[in-house]
């Protein structure tokens, strides 16, 4: 029996807490802002996975672009008098309290399952934390901001990320069914408790989402908390809760399985298929346009000439490039001796901007390039902090290891740059191709 059902005369405080929980969780969990419905109307198949993810983690935000705890306190202040008036006006009825608690758990179960299923699929199919780019591998660790360091660490351990996805998907599946929902929250409370602490420690902007996940587990957890304590702590013979809502008394109640079937189709089947498709065909983070053939790699700068003046290598000169990295896609990054204005990332898993490679990263300037006739490449810095940073360069490749660049920058300075490719091997790539054992590493 629940705490509510054990007392024929329901204490007012418990009745108030139940109603406060219902109002507060509904205000947080039911989208009341037009932004959500604009995103919903803009759903498209190419961007379905990222759009769906941003829809399921949507939380009210009144003081910025994303939800903060200030928004929570505002909604809690609104929920408190509503719950008080509801408690005062509503009659004392144990059966009614049990029904209210039941529907609160139903809402929490499916809201949780929606978040966990999409999040779990992005991890299972290695979408959540993309592989490190060559530019990342050639950037000193201290140039990454805290949140980017966490992501790059997860990128270097793909098997661990897949394991996290399996846990989330298992918990999501358990939450779909009433009898196994308690097992699901037992998995999620420590899991997302740790995620919340990591968000705070590394400066992640989505810590309210992980806090919301933990909040949603509480109605389900406390429903069986006393029975769990009797079983585990007191080692008493414990019976499961036998009370259940009679759906036969509700109009169309027998068709509730239709909702559950639609939920499974959307958040497991469709989202799962799209996750598989994305993992096989493209990345949600890096540009889709391929780079020049056979050019990817790290290059040292042999010669750097500005307006006819040769600038020798110097660890302090802010004009001279230190090295250049060409990616497999149409990105070129340059390591410089100047302080870089780092860009903030777009929405989580937002693939419209594909800004992951240069956000929260210092030490390098990133350029997206397009080709023009006569071996000309047009370079444009996508970082919003450098709106005028562009170059027009003629690119010549006398052989497979050398590149010569001639042209002008946005300020009109003439540039002549000679690059030489470095035959550099990366341990992460070697491990992926040959395995740890062949390289002499033991787990």
């Amino acid at each position: 029996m629940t705490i509510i059902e054990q007392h024929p005369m329901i204490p007012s405080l418990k009745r108030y807490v139940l109603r406060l929980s219902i109002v507060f969780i509904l205000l947080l969990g039911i989208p009341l802002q037009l932004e959500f419905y604009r995103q919903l109307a803009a759903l498209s198949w190419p961007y379905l996975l990222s759009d769906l993810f941003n829809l399921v983690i949507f939380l009210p935000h009144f003081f910025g672009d994303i939800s903060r705890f200030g928004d929570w306190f505002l909604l809690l202040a609104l929920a408190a008098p509503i719950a008080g008036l509801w408690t005062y006006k509503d009659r004392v009825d144990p059966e009614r309290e049990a029904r209210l608690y039941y529907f609160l758990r139903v809402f929490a179960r499916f809201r949780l399952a929606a978040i966990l299923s999409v999040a779990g699929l992005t991890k299972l199919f290695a979408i959540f934390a993309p592989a490190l780019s060559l530019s990342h591998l050639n950037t000193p660790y201290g140039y990454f901001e805290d949140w980017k360091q966490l992501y790059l660490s997860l990128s270097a351990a793909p098997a661990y990320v897949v394991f996290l996805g399996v846990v989330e998907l298992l918990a999501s599946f358990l939450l779909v069914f009433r009898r196994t929902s308690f097992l699901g929250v037992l998995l999620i409370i420590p899991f997302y408790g740790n995620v919340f602490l990591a968000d705070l420690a590394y400066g992640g902007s989505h810590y309210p989402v992980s806090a919301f996940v933990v909040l949603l587990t509480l109605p389900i957890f406390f429903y069986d908390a006393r029975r769990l304590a009797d079983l585990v702590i007191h080692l008493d013979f414990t019976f499961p809760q036998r009370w259940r809502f009679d759906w036969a008394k509700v109009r169309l109640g027998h068709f509730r399985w239709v909702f559950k079937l639609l939920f499974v189709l959307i958040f497991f089947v469709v989202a799962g298929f799209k996750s598989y498709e994305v993992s096989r065909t493209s990345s949600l983070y890096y540009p889709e346009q391929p780079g020049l053939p056979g050019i990817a790699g790290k290059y040292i700068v042999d010669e750097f000439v500005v307006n006819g003046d040769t600038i020798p290598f110097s660890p302090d000169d802010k004009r001279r490039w230190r090295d250049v990295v060409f990616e497999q896609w149409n990105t070129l990054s340059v390591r410089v001796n100047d302080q870089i204005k780092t860009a903030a990332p777009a929405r989580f898993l937002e693939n419209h901007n594909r800004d992951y490679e240069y956000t929260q990263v210092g030490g390098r300037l990133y350029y997206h390039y397009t080709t023009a006739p006569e071996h000309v490449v047009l370079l444009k810095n996508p970082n919003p902090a450098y709106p005028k940073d562009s170059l027009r360069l003629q690119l010549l490749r006398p052989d497979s290891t050398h590149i010569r660049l001639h042209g002008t920058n946005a300020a009109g300075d003439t540039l002549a740059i000679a690059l030489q490719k470095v035959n550099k091997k990366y341990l992460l790539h070697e491990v992926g191709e040959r395995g740890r054992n062949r390289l002499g590493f033991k787990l």
Side-chain angles (χ1 to χ4, degrees):
M1 301 292 287
T2 65
I3 296 176
I4 290 178
E5 294 172 293
Q6 288 174 357
H7 298 271
M9 299 301 294
I10 307 297
S12 297
L13 179 60
K14 293 179 181 178
R15 297 176 62 239
Y16 175 75
V17 169
L18 174 60
R19 285 158 176 77
L20 178 64
S21 302
I22 293 173
V23 177
F24 182 54
I25 289 178
L26 290 181
L27 288 175
L28 277 175
I30 296 180
L32 301 177
Q33 293 178 288
L34 289 177
E35 179 184 345
F36 173 87
Y37 298 97
R38 285 195 292 265
Q39 294 179 23
L40 182 63
L43 277 175
S44 62
W45 180 251
Y47 301 131
L48 179 67
L49 187 62
S50 60
D51 290 342
L52 188 61
F53 187 88
N54 283 290
L55 286 173
V56 297
I57 68 169
F58 185 92
L59 291 175
H61 48 275
F62 309 106
F63 306 110
D65 295 334
I66 60 176
S67 181
R68 303 287 186 185
F69 281 146
D71 302 295
W72 288 40
F73 288 124
L74 177 62
L75 294 177
L76 184 61
L78 179 63
I82 295 176
L85 182 62
W86 185 9
T87 305
Y88 176 76
K89 293 290 187 178
D90 207 4
R91 67 183 186 277
V92 177
D93 183 354
E95 186 66 20
R96 180 180 177 82
E97 303 301 309
R99 289 198 302 270
L100 288 174
Y101 197 6
Y102 171 78
F103 284 111
L104 174 61
R105 296 196 306 277
V106 170
F107 177 82
R109 281 169 45 207
F110 284 94
R111 190 73 166 83
L112 265 176
I115 297 173
L116 297 176
S117 62
V118 181
L121 287 169
T122 63
K123 297 181 180 70
L124 179 66
F125 290 100
I127 301 170
F128 178 82
L132 281 75
S133 68
L134 292 179
S135 298
H136 292 155
L137 291 171
N138 286 284
T139 301
Y141 195 69
Y143 283 106
F144 299 108
E145 296 184 13
D146 293 346
W147 183 246
K148 197 58 167 279
Q149 289 178 0
L150 176 61
Y151 255 70
L152 297 179
S153 299
L154 291 174
S155 301
Y160 175 66
V161 177
V162 171
F163 168 74
L164 297 179
V166 171
V167 173
E168 286 181 303
L169 286 172
L170 175 60
S172 178
F173 184 77
L174 292 173
L175 285 164
V176 171
F177 304 98
R178 176 180 57 85
R179 293 183 179 181
T180 57
S181 58
F182 186 67
L183 297 177
V185 300
L186 289 183
L187 291 174
I188 289 304
I189 289 176
F191 184 109
Y192 267 86
N194 182 60
V195 171
F196 173 68
L197 294 177
D199 286 342
L200 291 180
Y202 285 91
S205 59
H206 288 280
Y207 60 87
V209 176
S210 51
F212 181 60
V213 169
V214 175
L215 176 67
L216 288 176
T217 65
L218 298 183
I220 306 169
F221 175 77
F222 283 117
Y223 184 71
D224 283 306
R226 175 169 292 185
R227 282 180 287 278
L228 178 66
D230 290 339
L231 178 65
V232 176
I233 300 176
H234 304 296
L235 302 179
D236 291 339
F237 190 79
T238 307
F239 290 97
Q241 175 56 257
R242 298 297 185 185
W243 186 91
R244 58 183 300 177
F245 181 75
D246 188 2
W247 283 96
K249 298 179 180 179
V250 179
R251 186 181 180 182
L252 303 179
H254 291 296
F255 296 96
R256 67 187 185 279
W257 62 268
V258 176
F259 169 79
K260 188 175 292 188
L261 179 61
L262 288 174
F263 183 91
V264 171
L265 286 175
I266 294 172
F267 291 104
F268 287 93
V269 178
V270 176
F273 176 79
K274 187 59 181 179
S275 299
Y276 174 79
E277 181 184 71
V278 169
S279 69
R280 295 297 181 186
T281 59
S282 64
S283 168
L284 293 179
Y285 297 86
Y286 298 123
E288 290 183 296
Q289 184 176 341
L292 294 170
I295 201 171
K298 179 182 179 180
Y299 295 77
I300 61 173
V301 180
D302 283 339
E303 186 180 39
F304 194 84
V305 182
V306 180
N307 294 327
D309 296 330
T310 300
I311 301 177
F313 173 79
S314 170
D316 300 321
D317 192 286
K318 294 183 179 181
R319 293 179 298 171
R320 195 183 197 277
W321 295 359
R322 297 190 65 176
D323 65 62
V324 177
V325 172
F326 283 87
E327 302 288 355
Q328 296 285 353
W329 50 90
N330 65 325
T331 293
L332 174 155
S333 70
V334 179
R335 186 179 177 187
V336 294
N337 295 318
D338 199 4
Q339 184 175 0
I340 303 298
K341 300 175 183 177
T342 59
R347 290 186 304 163
F348 188 68
L349 269 182
E350 173 61 82
N351 62 353
H352 298 271
N353 294 329
R354 297 180 179 271
D355 57 3
Y356 177 79
E357 57 184 347
Y358 64 85
T359 56
Q360 296 184 316
V361 180
R364 308 189 74 89
L365 291 171
Y366 285 76
Y367 297 93
H368 292 164
Y369 63 84
T370 56
T371 58
E374 299 181 356
H375 306 288
V376 172
V377 290
L378 307 175
L379 281 69
K380 173 64 178 175
N381 192 331
N383 189 334
Y386 299 90
K388 298 180 179 180
D389 187 9
S390 61
L391 301 96
R392 180 184 178 90
L393 302 173
Q394 186 180 39
L395 187 149
L396 301 176
R397 303 174 69 181
D399 54 50
S400 61
T401 60
H402 292 84
I403 296 176
R404 299 197 68 87
L405 301 170
H406 304 272
T408 59
N409 59 18
D413 299 321
T414 60
L415 302 175
I417 306 165
L419 305 177
Q420 180 179 353
K421 191 171 186 179
V422 179
N423 185 21
K424 183 176 180 179
K425 295 184 178 181
Y426 302 92
L427 182 58
L428 280 176
H429 297 172
E430 294 293 310
V431 168
E433 293 176 0
R434 300 169 56 188
R436 293 178 181 270
N437 291 335
R438 291 185 179 181
L439 292 173
F441 293 94
K442 301 293 184 180
L443 291 176

